[in-house]
Amino acid sequence: METQVQGRAAAGAQDAGTRPAATVRDAAFDVMRRLGMTTIFANPGSTEVSLLAGFPDDLEFVLALHEGSVVGMAAGHALGRGAPSLVLVHSMPGFGNSVAALATARLNHAPLVVIVGQQDRRHLELDPFLAGRLNGLAGEYPVWVDQPLRPQDVPGAIVRAHHEAVTARGPAIVIVPMDDWLAPAPAPHEIFGASRMLRSAGADPDVVEELAALLDDAASPVIVAGAGADSPDGWAALVALAERLGCPVWQEPFGPQAGFPQDHPQFAGHLPARRARLRDVLAPHDTVLVAGTGMLRQYPYDEGPLVEPGTRVAVVSQDAAEAHRSPVDVAVLGSPAAVCAALAGAVTPRRAFDGAPLTSRPPAPEPPAAGEPLRAAHVLAALGDRLPRDAIVVEESPSSRLQLNAHIPAREPMGFVSAMGLLGFGMPASIGLKMARPDRPIIAVLGDGSSLYSIQALWSAVQYRAGVVLVVLVNGGYAIMDRLSEKTGQAGPWPALDGLDIGGFARAQSCETRRVATHEELLRTLDELTVDLAQRETPLLLEAIVAQDPTFDA
């Protein structure tokens, strides 16, 4: 996808060079077209009117009602299309509202170009209303931030932001004072930035040789697959390497995407997010190859190392921060797909794996007895039985995530997406994903509390006909906090959430809803909803009324 987008950018460069635009705004629109960023996700205000009034017909404007939804939708859209999506937010208040979502986009490696409006350049020194100190507002989460020195530098800054977003896989920020858009356009040669940015995905032979020697010397190697391997090339490379080694493959703990087919017989499961249990799981192996993530995200703090002493660990990641912070023997900064594909041809083949599958879906729980409530496992098992192979499942139900992983394996690339960070990311991300990938069935599984953080995103789903199904597990409580507080032996101060009408919030935005509270209703409704899930053109929110699960284990 990236090559196609940048090929279009190159094809348009000559046209832009022979057809000077009248204003900075016109030149910026030309740049957006060249880069393939023709959809703009926005919640604008007065400082953006000079950009948006008379918006070109060949570009698409998508409005959301809160900046968290704006960024979440754009991030899902970017992940779905494999290229940066464009965001527009309103000066200090809009940028401030977007920060948590931008942090989550960074953690999910979603490439975004974010244009932030600013007050008129001509009186910024007087700190006018709606001016903001924007450069540091999002902290270190943007991969790049720039406020161009001249209006004529804005189009080139957008080009640079696009390249930075792809290279560092996160949000790149361009701050634009409102009067810049109507300033005279730069000359074509002043729109700096490479017309084509080619990124080599090769594997250094010396690196491959060192990793191959490490694996060949192993008595019992194991692979850990991370989100950075979630692509057709990444899956193919890890499958080839795992089959060559005849070794198990685990999924990283708390990964935002799946890095290996979870119905492959050598898939061993999801690693735990506690050190003692992680050490136990990896103890039978003397060498660990981690591909597509760092080493290794945990949740509660436990004493001790991540692996048993003497275990050798290598990490392959295209994220420099992941590689740099990993306490391992060898860290490789590079494409996991390219490195692992080369490794598959370089390691000495071992006896092929010929055992029974290392993991399998647990059986569906018995239907609840008469008068007994549904539980999350009933819903997730029923979904797992019915979803088509190419479905994309967006997860944001923290107290049920382990059960979702068990009952709904990712069977194709981009089969699983989870929000890392901000609650409220999952709903808009699923909407943006559907807008980018209308060819694939997309379903979101959300907790009732999670859904409330961005429930207003449903308005955009209705308005722009994003046919995603959102399954909200309604247990009427703050389940994950309830379970964690029980481990301390003390109750928390928060009230129950049983007075909320989530379906009512959805219907108020003209979103279709269903509600199920019995096993029979659940199966009948899912049979109906999943038969043509890919073809849906309107959103639907399904409330599944479930009891809280009595335990939670990270």
Side-chain angles (χ1 to χ4, degrees):
M1 178 70 75
E2 177 186 321
T3 301
Q4 294 172 354
V5 169
Q6 293 179 341
R8 289 196 295 271
Q14 185 173 1
D15 289 345
T18 59
R19 181 172 46 84
T23 64
V24 166
R25 174 182 184 267
D26 295 325
F29 286 144
D30 278 346
V31 160
M32 294 170 194
R33 294 181 184 103
R34 284 168 42 198
L35 296 172
M37 297 190 299
T38 56
T39 300
I40 183 167
F41 295 86
N43 186 296
S46 57
T47 52
E48 293 72 56
V49 170
S50 53
L51 171 66
L52 297 176
F55 197 68
D57 291 339
D58 64 320
L59 304 181
E60 182 179 9
F61 179 87
V62 176
L63 179 68
L65 304 183
H66 185 273
E67 289 79 5
S69 297
V70 171
V71 173
M73 290 169 62
H77 190 260
L79 292 171
R81 66 194 294 261
S85 293
L86 187 61
V87 173
L88 177 68
V89 294
H90 173 47
S91 193
M92 183 269 291
F95 193 21
N97 283 344
S98 74
V99 168
L102 291 170
T104 305
R106 174 72 179 274
L107 294 171
N108 280 66
H109 299 307
L112 300 176
V113 174
V114 183
I115 297 174
V116 181
Q118 175 63 294
Q119 248 284 7
D120 194 300
R121 185 187 291 268
R122 293 166 294 187
H123 66 159
L124 281 177
E125 285 299 319
L126 300 178
D127 193 24
F129 178 63
L130 291 179
R133 296 179 179 139
L134 304 179
N135 276 312
L137 186 56
E140 297 183 2
Y141 286 105
V143 300
W144 185 72
V145 179
D146 185 45
Q147 179 170 324
L149 294 176
R150 305 182 307 151
Q152 287 73 25
D153 296 333
V154 168
I158 294 172
V159 176
R160 171 76 180 273
H162 179 276
H163 297 332
E164 295 282 357
V166 174
T167 301
R169 299 191 302 155
I173 312 297
V174 182
I175 300 165
V176 184
M178 60 191 296
D179 56 313
D180 282 11
W181 297 114
L182 301 183
H189 70 273
E190 293 183 299
I191 302 177
F192 298 111
S195 295
R196 298 180 69 214
M197 180 69 69
L198 302 178
R199 293 172 177 83
S200 173
D204 185 319
D206 292 339
V207 169
V208 173
E209 182 180 356
E210 181 170 344
L211 290 177
L214 184 73
L215 292 169
D216 283 344
D217 191 48
S220 178
V222 64
I223 296 172
V224 177
D230 188 14
S231 67
D233 288 346
W235 279 36
L238 263 66
V239 167
L241 179 59
E243 292 179 350
R244 183 95 161 174
L245 294 173
C247 71
V249 179
W250 288 87
Q251 175 69 35
E252 66 170 317
F254 283 94
Q257 293 169 231
F260 189 83
Q262 295 173 359
D263 58 349
H264 190 283
Q266 287 170 241
F267 180 67
H270 295 76
L271 284 176
R274 301 198 71 131
R275 293 189 184 206
R277 292 170 55 203
L278 180 65
R279 289 194 298 271
D280 288 345
V281 169
L282 296 178
H285 306 283
D286 61 343
T287 303
V288 182
L289 176 66
V290 181
T293 188
M295 178 65 190
L296 263 169
R297 184 186 295 271
Q298 299 286 282
Y299 183 21
Y301 175 73
D302 287 330
E303 296 283 351
L306 293 167
V307 296
E308 293 289 348
T311 303
R312 296 176 300 175
V313 183
V315 158
V316 181
S317 173
Q318 67 192 80
D319 185 309
E322 287 180 347
H324 294 165
R325 69 171 175 259
S326 294
V328 296
D329 299 275
V330 180
V332 176
L333 184 59
S335 162
V339 172
C340 290
L343 263 180
V347 295
T348 303
R350 301 178 182 231
R351 188 172 68 179
F353 178 83
D354 57 2
L358 295 177
T359 190
S360 59
R361 286 176 53 197
E366 290 294 321
E372 291 294 315
L374 283 172
R375 293 196 178 273
H378 292 114
V379 179
L380 299 171
L383 269 176
D385 287 341
R386 289 161 174 79
L387 286 178
R389 182 176 185 83
D390 64 340
I392 299 175
V393 177
V394 180
E395 176 273 328
E396 194 174 84
S397 180
S399 61
S400 304
R401 174 166 174 156
L402 297 182
Q403 294 185 62
L404 185 148
N405 288 337
H407 288 288
I408 310 178
R411 294 178 289 177
E412 289 195 4
M414 191 61 70
F416 172 79
V417 175
S418 180
M420 292 290 100
L422 165 76
L423 286 179
F425 192 79
M427 181 179 286
S430 66
I431 294 165
L433 265 168
K434 187 61 180 177
M435 295 175 72
R437 295 301 307 268
D439 58 311
R440 288 188 68 172
I442 296 180
I443 194 159
V445 178
L446 312 169
D448 47 359
S450 299
S451 73
L452 294 172
Y453 283 82
S454 57
I455 195 76
Q456 72 283 340
L458 291 174
W459 180 88
S460 300
V462 172
Q463 182 75 18
Y464 298 102
R465 300 183 65 80
V468 63
V469 171
L470 304 117
V471 178
V472 180
L473 302 173
V474 180
N475 60 30
Y478 205 162
I480 193 167
M481 292 295 290
D482 291 341
R483 300 293 82 78
L484 291 172
S485 67
E486 287 168 3
K487 290 179 181 292
T488 73
Q490 302 290 329
W494 45 85
L497 302 176
D498 53 2
L500 295 166
D501 181 2
I502 292 173
F505 287 127
R507 289 187 295 274
Q509 299 172 78
S510 301
C511 181
E512 181 185 358
T513 66
R514 302 279 187 90
R515 185 178 189 273
V516 297
T518 70
H519 200 250
E520 294 77 13
E521 290 175 333
L522 172 70
L523 300 186
R524 185 170 60 250
T525 302
L526 292 181
D527 283 340
E528 178 183 343
L529 292 180
T530 55
V531 69
D532 61 349
L533 189 54
Q535 286 73 47
R536 284 197 68 89
E537 294 184 352
T538 56
L540 181 142
L541 185 142
L542 173 63
E543 291 181 280
I545 311 303
V546 298
Q548 285 197 35
D549 288 315
T551 60
F552 168 75
D553 192 353

